Amino acid sequence: MSKRILLGNEAIAFGALSSGVAVAAGYPGTPSSEIIETIMKFGDKVYAEWSSNEKVAFETAYGAAMMGARALATMKHVGVNVAADALMSSSYTGVDGSLVLVSADDPSMWSSQNEQDNRYYGMMALIPVIEPYDTQSAYDLIISAFELSSEVKHPVIFRSSTRIGHVRSQVEMKEIKSPVMGRLSKNPSKYALVPENARRNRKEQLRRWEMIQKKVENLNFLEGDGKKLIIASGIAYAYVKEAVENSRVKILKLSTPFPIPKDLTLKSLEDSEEVLIVEELEPIVEMQVKDLMVSEGIALKVHGKDLVDRTGELTFEKVNYAVGKFLGKEVSEVENTLIDVVPRPPALCPGCPHRSSFIDLKKGLALAGIKDTFFSGDIGCYSLGVLPPFNEQDSLIEMGSSLGVANGVYRSSGVIPVAIIGDSTFFHAGLPGLANAVYNNTPMIVLVLDNRSTAMTGQQPSPSKYIDIANVARGMGIEYVREFDPFDYNSSTRVIKETAEWVKKNMKPAVLIAKRACALDALDKIEGKLPIAEVDMNKCTGCTICYDYFTCPAIIPLSNKKATIDVSQCIGCGACVPICPFKAISIKGDKPKGWDEAWLS
């Protein structure tokens, strides 16, 4: 045993390593990314990869578990939607080793488009869900998840959340185990889901489910005494423990919100006069408890979502209010406890090539006579293009949606749309949409913002570092493919103009690729002192274009409307130089070693 201060996601990774995980695959996405990164760093003998999307990541782990290995797949909550097809089938086939899917949910949507509660996936797929309540339990329960999966030969969902994954505290750990590898094993009668096999597997699935319902009894605990019962799941338990203080109350601590432990729940209901169920987001536990009570003929008053907020993260204040009401204490309504900070709008980083791509796109379309179009956006750093002054993301739905939505926009309106997608997202979920555009001959401008990085989640590598997007587009039947450097303003706008004119003339899809590395990724590779931008005050007229239109955070307006450069933010990329119509901005200093290679290779 050893003790170490760990991030929750690191605790999950070390728990997996202590369980003998042999294969780990994931797609980066907040709040899950640190799990795979930690396994890559500390799992010397573990095969760990960033997959091209969540479905491939899950299938990689699934395939390893078919061979008898211990395998892990990680993703954020919306990523499970991408993996859902394989996930549903994995419940039918089961596995020969062990298979754990970490779903990192994001209540309050700190970095997501929705806050779906993925415990529902467990209910739909008949896959048990294990939920930690703090960092230590994240470590302990991921080990339990591997053990349960290995014993029953069934996949397990480990549902974490932003608050669990991004909190740091001391964790007591066991030794890292040698990976439990698989070996070649063929069993098509089990893993080939033709209807005859699937029907037989369905019966086996239900048999395993009966075993799971019994085994989860040992993962949950009843504590305290009294006539009032609080059932708390996941992070709710930590808040409830603090809120009840010294009150005489029973607490059923649930680590398995689905399925709930039937026998332990019935035992906890004995001699209880009233029940409060505290859980984050959806009433998953509440529905099961009420169903159990009805089937057992138990008539008790049950509180749940009538006292506990159904939206956003649970907080101590929310739980304290619900517990206080339940225990008959004087409590006040929950107030907004957020600290009032100075508003700071989100912005693309200094040197981000996406900023220049948006500027270039607007100018290039105008030169082609396109004044009004639909910008079909996608998920990534470039989502910030929705903000002024760009206003070039009219929709942002899910990974890869830009091309499909653009197809619908054209089919219904006749307007030639612009689909804007990042390089990582292009390989994640953009390829089917591009094939559809070719197959159905949809006139659209597809702009791929290729910074060779999954930048939004921490610069994880993208397939575009190794696979040329232009060749992929040509191979899929795109007749017109052009590349440009977004920092080369004049050349970029000309290429965009020519592309838009080609699409209008030929009424076919065309692909544009804006190629320049993520600024943060480039800076990591550059050695030496950076050049710096400088404003010539004699030439600056205070036209405001550089800070109102280009909006680099390093360009600061002065009281006389002229601009100056914040040297603490400027990285000397030079993208602002051609933006100034009065040539007042210039770059001082030489390019350091590795400058061009870092930006353009």
Side-chain angles (χ1 to χ4, degrees), residues 340-346:
D340 194 14
V341 297
V342 177
R344 190 185 68 170

Side-chain angles (χ1 to χ4, degrees), residues 29-339:
T30 305
S32 71
S33 303
E34 296 87 356
I35 301 171
I36 291 293
E37 289 174 345
T38 304
I39 291 176
M40 286 178 168
K41 188 174 181 181
F42 295 98
D44 295 340
K45 299 178 182 177
V46 178
Y47 175 77
E49 72 168 34
W50 288 120
S51 305
S52 56
N53 69 19
E54 295 86 352
K55 179 174 180 287
V56 176
F58 183 80
E59 289 165 342
T60 298
Y62 188 12
M66 286 180 189
M67 299 298 106
R70 292 200 164 194
L72 177 75
T74 72
M75 55 201 68
K76 66 182 296 176
H77 61 313
V78 291
V80 179
N81 301 335
V82 181
D85 203 353
L87 178 70
M88 294 295 156
S89 293
S90 72
S91 177
Y92 270 58
T93 65
V95 294
D96 279 37
S98 60
L99 175 60
V100 177
L101 166 65
V102 175
S103 168
D105 292 9
D106 189 18
S108 287
M109 297 165 278
W110 299 114
S111 184
S112 307
Q113 63 268 46
N114 66 44
E115 59 178 9
Q116 68 185 43
D117 189 333
N118 276 358
R119 296 178 299 172
Y120 273 127
Y121 270 111
M123 299 183 76
M124 183 161 55
L126 279 186
I127 295 177
V129 180
I130 292 180
E131 193 174 29
Y133 57 90
D134 62 10
T135 309
Q136 180 67 58
S137 68
Y139 175 84
D140 294 334
L141 288 172
I142 193 76
I143 294 175
S144 299
F146 273 101
E147 291 174 348
L148 177 62
S149 179
S150 182
E151 290 173 10
V152 186
K153 305 299 181 189
H154 197 81
V156 172
I157 294 174
F158 188 84
R159 189 255 187 183
S160 181
S161 66
T162 307
R163 192 62 53 180
I164 295 291
H166 288 171
V167 166
R168 194 180 295 274
S169 65
Q170 183 172 275
V171 176
E172 190 170 276
M173 301 192 301
K174 303 173 184 174
E175 294 295 321
I176 291 176
K177 283 186 178 178
S178 296
V180 178
M181 304 297 289
R183 60 182 177 83
L184 182 60
S185 172
K186 296 185 180 183
N187 191 352
S189 65
K190 178 179 180 179
Y191 289 116
L193 285 176
V194 294
E196 182 181 352
N197 293 341
R199 292 186 196 105
R200 185 174 58 251
N201 281 349
R202 171 66 168 157
K203 294 178 182 177
E204 284 297 308
Q205 177 200 39
L206 294 175
R207 184 189 64 78
R208 291 194 301 272
W209 188 246
E210 289 181 5
M211 295 171 60
I212 290 167
Q213 288 177 302
K214 293 175 183 175
K215 287 189 175 294
V216 299
E217 296 284 343
N218 298 326
L219 293 174
N220 302 283
F221 301 94
L222 179 62
E223 57 191 38
D225 59 18
K227 296 296 183 182
K228 294 213 172 199
L229 170 66
I230 298 177
I231 301 176
S233 175
I235 197 169
Y237 170 75
Y239 293 135
V240 166
K241 282 290 287 184
E242 189 174 351
V244 297
E245 294 182 323
N246 298 318
S247 301
R248 189 161 179 249
V249 61
K250 290 187 289 187
I251 301 174
L252 175 56
K253 180 173 69 173
L254 284 185
S255 297
T256 60
F258 181 76
I260 60 170
K262 180 179 177 182
D263 292 344
L264 186 61
T265 304
L266 289 173
K267 181 182 177 183
S268 69
L269 292 170
E270 290 177 358
D271 301 325
S272 296
E273 295 176 347
E274 202 171 13
V275 183
L276 170 65
I277 298 169
V278 187
E279 60 186 320
E280 199 166 57
L281 298 182
E282 300 296 323
I284 304 289
V285 173
E286 185 178 339
M287 287 190 294
Q288 294 175 79
V289 171
K290 287 179 176 176
D291 179 65
L292 180 63
M293 291 172 64
V294 170
S295 64
E296 296 293 328
I298 299 171
L300 289 175
K301 177 67 175 176
V302 177
H303 295 280
K305 290 303 170 187
D306 57 331
L307 295 179
V308 182
D309 196 352
R310 192 170 178 171
T311 64
E313 278 193 307
L314 278 185
T315 61
F316 173 74
E317 289 75 19
K318 289 180 180 178
V319 174
N320 190 52
Y321 172 80
V323 170
K325 282 283 187 182
F326 179 64
L327 298 179
K329 296 180 180 179
E330 287 290 328
V331 288
S332 54
E333 294 287 337
V334 178
E335 296 181 359
N336 185 2
T337 58
L338 294 177
I339 299 173

